[in-house]
Structure formats: C-alpha cells, structure tokens
Amino acid sequence: MAATVLVVTGSPANAAGTGTGYLHTSGNKIVDSTGATVRLTGINWFGMETDNKTFHGLWANNPWKSQLDLMASLGYNTIRVPFSDDALKPGAQATSVNTYSNPDLIGLSPLQILDKVVDYAGQKGMRIILDRHRPTSAGQTALWYTSGVPESTWISDWKSLAQHYAGNTTVIGADLHNEPHADGTNPNATGSCWGCGDESRDWRLAAERAGNAILSVQPNWLIFVEGVSCPSGGLSNVWDNDTSNDEDCGWWGGNLTKAGQYPVRLNVANRLVYSPHEYATSVYHQAWFDDPSYPANMPAIWDKYFGYLYKQNIAPIMVGEFGTTLASNIDKIWLQELMKYMGSGVNGMSFTYWSWNPNSGDTGGILKDDWATVDQAKQSIISPYLIPPTGGGNPTPPVSPSASPSVSPSASPSASPSASPSASPSASPSASPSSPGGKTCTATYKVVNQYSGGFQGEVTVKADSSAISAWTVKWAFPNGQSISQLWNGTLSASGSNVTVTNLSYNGALGAGASTTFGFNGSWSGTNGVPSPVSCTAS
C-alpha cells in the first residue's frame, strides 16, 4: 500500500444527516461544505482490525450490501471502520468471507473490500470514518506504537490512506488511534498521558504529529482524537498509602479532562473533533454506577470527562464507542440517559454506536446472531436520535437462513479495562479430504485468535471436483480443548471428539466452492492443531 498511491472516487455524499461535500468544524458543530450543520449518527462495523482483516459477518448468509441497506434504513448515516496496520500490509488477505453470499468479494484484498463498502455507502449518502484500532491484529496497545510498528509506520499508513481516498467525500476523516490508555503504576507510568510533555507517551503531542501529517496530504479530512484513561498515563498505586499520585481515571479513550488545558493543535483550522468512549456495566462496573443518586449523577460525570468541550463551544464531540448488552436495568437506564445527554436533532453530539456486530462479547450488537435480525430492544432506544442518510431507501430484504447460527463468536470490545489478548496465533491450517461415493470435500482448520484460556477457530469446507449437497467434518482435539460456541454448523461433541455438520443453507456447494464455520473454545497449556481433520460429503 505504501508503494502505490491509488485515487478512489465515489458518489459524493449528499444527505440530510451527513451534508454535502467535505466536512469541517465550527465551534462545537460539524458543518458541511455549504455551512449546514451535520450530525453523524453512526455505527461501528468491526473486523478489519482482527486476524480476519476484513469486516466480520461477511461469513454470514446475509450479503454485505444487504447489511449496508439495513444500516441505512435503520437511520445510521455513518460507519466507523476499525482496522489494524496488518490489514494494510502488501499481500494482506481477507478471511472468513462467504463466497456464496458475497461472490463479488472473492479474491479481494482487505483494502479492496473496504473500497467496495466505501463506494456503496457513498451511494446511500452515508459517511465513513476510518479508525486505526490496533497496530497489529494481536490486540490493543496502551501507546500508539510498538517495537514492531513504530510511529513512522503509523503515520505513513495514515498518509497512504488519506491519499488513497483523495477526492472521495464519503471518507471524511481519521480516528487516529483507538483507546490510548494507562500502563504501569505511578509514579513509574509507561502508558499514554495527556499533557505530560514526554513525547514518547504524550498522546496529545502524538495526535498533533499524526493529524498534521494527514492534513499535509489531505487538508479536507476531520481529525478525530480520543482521550486517554488516566491523564498521567499510569495507574494509581492504591497500596502505597501515598494519595499524591492517585487520580481520577475513566474509560480507555474516554478521559478528555486535560484537553481544555492542553488542546490538540492542528495546522489546518476547523478540523478537530474530540471522540471519547463510554460504556456500561456489561464492560466494567465503574464506581459511579453504585452512586445512590444514579442516574442523576451521570451528566456531571460526562461533563467532566468530555461534555465541557461541547458545552463551552470548544470543539465538536463524536462519541466513537458506547454500548451494552442491556442485560441489566442499570445498563438500560445508562443508555437511555446517555442518548438524552447527547441531545436530539441535528444539533446534538455525534456518535457511532458499538456495534453493528453481534459478536462483541461485552456488548453484543444491533444485529442478532444471524447477522440479519435487529435487536429491537437496543434499536428502540437509539432510533429517536438517528438522522437517516438521504438515498437509503428501502433495504434489500436480507437473505435469512432457514436455520440461524446458534451463537456468534465472542469478541470483546476494545473498551474493556481488562488486559487485551497478548497475542493472536498465526493461522494453523490442517486439511484432510475424504471420498465416499465419489463426492469429496476438504476441511481446513485454523486458529484465528487466541488469548489466555480461550481461542477462536475457523474451518473452511471446500467441495473438490464435484458438487456436493451435504458435508460432515470430524476431528479430535489433541490437548483437551473444548468448544463453547459454534456458528454456521451443527455441533456434536464427545470428549475430545468433534463432529460438525452443515446447516440447511450451507450444505450445497458447487465444485470448488467453499463455506466456513467458526467456534469459540477453551484451552489450557497447549492449543495444538488437530490432525487429521476429515471431511465427508454426499
């Protein structure tokens, strides 16, 4: 990507919710090229930041265009797209794409798939915000760089993306880095601070360097800057009996308390949008949820962390992530009150809800596990605040499978204050064909994500030289692993022995065609790849 600069043009956005042409800021408002006030009311569609390197749900029976149709019809006028630098590397490959429901994505790179989503979103009057979510697909980082992905790579990739989408007004800006946060214990902080002056840790200074580099090649983009968790960049040592280094910390990326004193300074005026994150108890049970005055205490908390920037007309706010499973009444109240706090109509704060995906373990999604059915409990709370894009029209009816996958994969949102997975394993394929009755298939097993005690696996089933109508995949786990959730197949397990058969909608495969099923599992000690993995077909 760094070697070649491509210019991709698309239909210019022209919508009631997202305005005309490129956007800029005026006080606490986002305005379009005509000066009209714009409110971004969007959704996060993640996956490009993971080992799949592309949008999750492309494995589903509901085609990607139908999903975008549904987003627009529900009123979401913007999509925030998380990605990692891994997805931008030369030779990066997108995985877990259902070639039956998405034949137009066969063989495309992660960036080429993103181009198609951008183009179609633009046709519907939607906007795209690109979010550099992680340096690699392995997990979140406290700082915006690592030893393997230095700051120079971060900035170079951003400049390449800005040039790639030059002239395409659907792509409106860069969320520079997702959820910079504290690391280490004060006074020996090693995480992202705000205003501390240490160039290796001061997120505010880094945001200026990256933002100005982007604006040097694409002066029309908005620059979205998240907060930190603790302004010092370090966690308070509550056991040292020294309260002098204790401080008030918030969500990862959610603490903008120092932005008023130490604002981000960009070389192009009217391009800065602050973008905090905010979550409910399904992510972490913060102390303020137990306040006897809850939820009356929440507006003051939101004012302190980010709202003052909006109320004092310093800069616009775009709440880049907020979400909940709605499993508790506390969370339902939280979502209702946060929506009210952000305001209604075109003059309210902008936002992108986390997430479209049902496979966010801490929040769930707007979609249910079949990637086609809407979670009406969540949508009914958010819906009154959405400003639909013009051109969304009626959605293409989603293709609903006759048998929905039982459970989607669990992927925790990056906002979780607990440690992120330390590493994702490399893909580990194992394949073994079997050929009864002249019809054969091949099953390829790989681990796509691994973390302490758990992992996500994926198996690709491919028909060989003849069409098949049904398939069965079998293997034996070598190290006592077990499956807790599986989708796009029917699971039968006995001890270490696993059998998976097709569902009604993914058994028939033409010669050379493939489908995938995935699962979440647990492991301890070793997570070896089973061999053989057999596939029988009829």
Side-chain angles (χ1 to χ4, degrees):
M1 177 181 172
T4 304
V5 175
L6 301 176
V7 177
V8 180
T9 59
S11 303
N14 185 352
T18 57
T20 300
Y22 282 112
L23 308 181
H24 60 281
T25 70
S26 177
N28 66 2
K29 307 241 181 280
I30 298 174
V31 297
D32 72 0
S33 59
T34 72
T37 300
V38 165
R39 187 182 189 188
L40 307 176
T41 62
I43 193 83
N44 284 270
W45 190 6
F46 69 79
M48 197 174 172
E49 83 284 12
T50 72
D51 278 342
N52 298 115
K53 298 182 178 64
T54 192
F55 299 91
H56 281 181
L58 298 185
W59 57 64
N61 201 44
N62 190 12
W64 70 272
K65 281 189 175 181
S66 295
Q67 294 198 46
L68 280 172
D69 289 340
L70 183 56
M71 284 183 204
S73 71
L74 291 173
Y76 297 102
N77 62 37
T78 300
I79 308 171
R80 180 175 178 261
V81 180
F83 69 90
S84 79
D85 295 73
D86 281 351
L88 306 180
K89 290 180 178 179
Q93 293 185 344
T95 63
S96 298
V97 177
N98 185 330
T99 56
Y100 179 78
S101 55
N102 296 303
D104 53 337
L105 304 184
I106 294 174
L108 298 188
S109 70
L111 189 59
Q112 289 171 328
I113 293 175
L114 177 60
D115 287 344
K116 291 182 75 71
V117 170
V118 166
D119 181 67
Y120 193 60
Q123 293 177 40
K124 304 192 76 61
M126 303 174 79
R127 303 286 195 161
I128 299 286
I129 297 169
L130 301 176
D131 156 45
R132 195 281 199 134
H133 210 73
R134 304 170 175 174
T136 72
S137 59
Q140 297 302 119
T141 56
L143 299 169
W144 54 95
Y145 62 91
T146 66
S147 58
V149 186
E151 180 175 305
S152 58
T153 298
W154 173 53
I155 290 177
S156 175
D157 282 349
W158 264 128
K159 290 173 70 175
S160 294
L161 279 172
Q163 291 169 319
H164 181 76
Y165 289 112
N168 188 332
T169 57
T170 298
V171 185
I172 57 171
D175 189 337
L176 298 177
H177 175 65
N178 188 69
E179 296 182 349
H181 57 272
D183 197 20
T185 304
N186 280 331
N188 301 310
T190 58
S192 290
C193 64
W194 191 293
C196 69
D198 181 346
E199 289 198 356
S200 67
R201 297 196 304 111
D202 194 329
W203 168 235
R204 173 247 196 167
L205 298 180
E208 291 176 350
R209 293 192 295 272
N212 286 325
I214 292 168
L215 292 172
S216 72
V217 299
Q218 173 49 293
N220 294 309
W221 267 15
L222 295 173
I223 303 299
F224 296 86
V225 179
E226 300 181 25
V228 293
S229 58
C230 306
S232 71
L235 301 169
S236 300
N237 187 346
V238 297
W239 309 110
D240 62 2
N241 296 315
D242 178 5
T243 58
S244 65
N245 58 33
D246 296 344
E247 63 181 322
D248 183 21
C249 300
W251 298 107
W252 287 6
N255 192 327
L256 286 160
T257 55
K258 291 293 185 72
Q261 182 181 359
Y262 300 103
V264 172
R265 300 157 297 185
L266 298 176
N267 294 335
V268 180
N270 303 318
R271 296 295 183 270
L272 174 64
V273 179
Y274 287 114
S275 186
H277 292 184
E278 169 68 21
Y279 278 100
T281 65
S282 61
V283 173
Y284 184 75
H285 196 104
Q286 301 276 15
W288 50 73
F289 293 115
D290 296 322
D291 189 305
S293 67
Y294 180 82
N297 61 318
M298 294 308 298
I301 290 170
W302 294 326
D303 281 350
K304 175 183 66 175
Y305 283 124
F306 59 86
Y308 74 98
L309 295 164
Y310 185 86
K311 291 186 175 181
Q312 295 176 25
N313 205 37
I314 295 172
I317 291 292
M318 201 281 292
V319 182
E321 290 184 19
F322 64 105
T324 169
T325 60
L326 284 188
S328 74
N329 193 51
I330 290 176
D331 286 14
K332 180 179 180 181
I333 292 171
W334 167 86
L335 183 57
Q336 291 170 332
E337 293 301 313
L338 178 61
M339 298 308 301
K340 284 162 49 177
Y341 176 83
M342 290 190 291
S344 60
V346 74
N347 292 315
M349 298 178 191
S350 292
F351 61 81
T352 49
Y353 183 81
W354 186 278
S355 60
W356 182 246
N357 307 47
N359 60 311
S360 174
D362 289 349
T363 66
I366 292 299
L367 289 189
K368 293 191 174 182
D369 293 339
D370 61 1
W371 287 88
T373 305
V374 175
D375 186 324
Q376 293 296 340
K378 294 177 184 177
Q379 181 63 22
S380 64
I381 296 174
I382 300 169
S383 182
Y385 302 90
L386 298 175
I387 301 176
T390 298
N394 295 320
T396 302
V399 181
S400 299
S402 55
S404 300
S406 56
V407 186
S408 292
S410 175
S412 297
S414 52
S416 174
S418 60
S420 296
S422 57
S424 295
S426 301
S428 306
S430 173
S432 176
S434 183
S435 53
K439 294 187 177 183
T440 63
C441 57
T442 302
T444 305
Y445 176 112
K446 67 179 178 179
V447 175
V448 296
N449 194 19
Q450 180 172 298
Y451 45 94
S452 179
F455 72 105
Q456 181 181 330
E458 178 183 278
V459 176
T460 299
V461 179
K462 182 178 180 180
D464 292 331
S465 58
S466 300
I468 64 175
S469 58
W471 49 262
T472 298
V473 174
K474 295 183 178 181
W475 71 82
F477 278 124
N479 308 116
Q481 302 99 317
S482 63
I483 293 177
S484 57
Q485 301 172 337
L486 184 138
W487 55 96
N488 288 350
T490 299
L491 172 67
S492 175
S494 176
S496 63
N497 295 312
V498 175
T499 300
V500 180
T501 56
N502 61 272
L503 296 175
S504 61
Y505 61 86
N506 63 354
L509 299 173
S514 63
T515 188
T516 60
F517 65 86
F519 59 88
N520 289 325
S522 60
W523 66 285
S524 177
T526 304
N527 190 20
V529 174
S531 181
V533 178
S534 69
C535 185
T536 56
S538 60

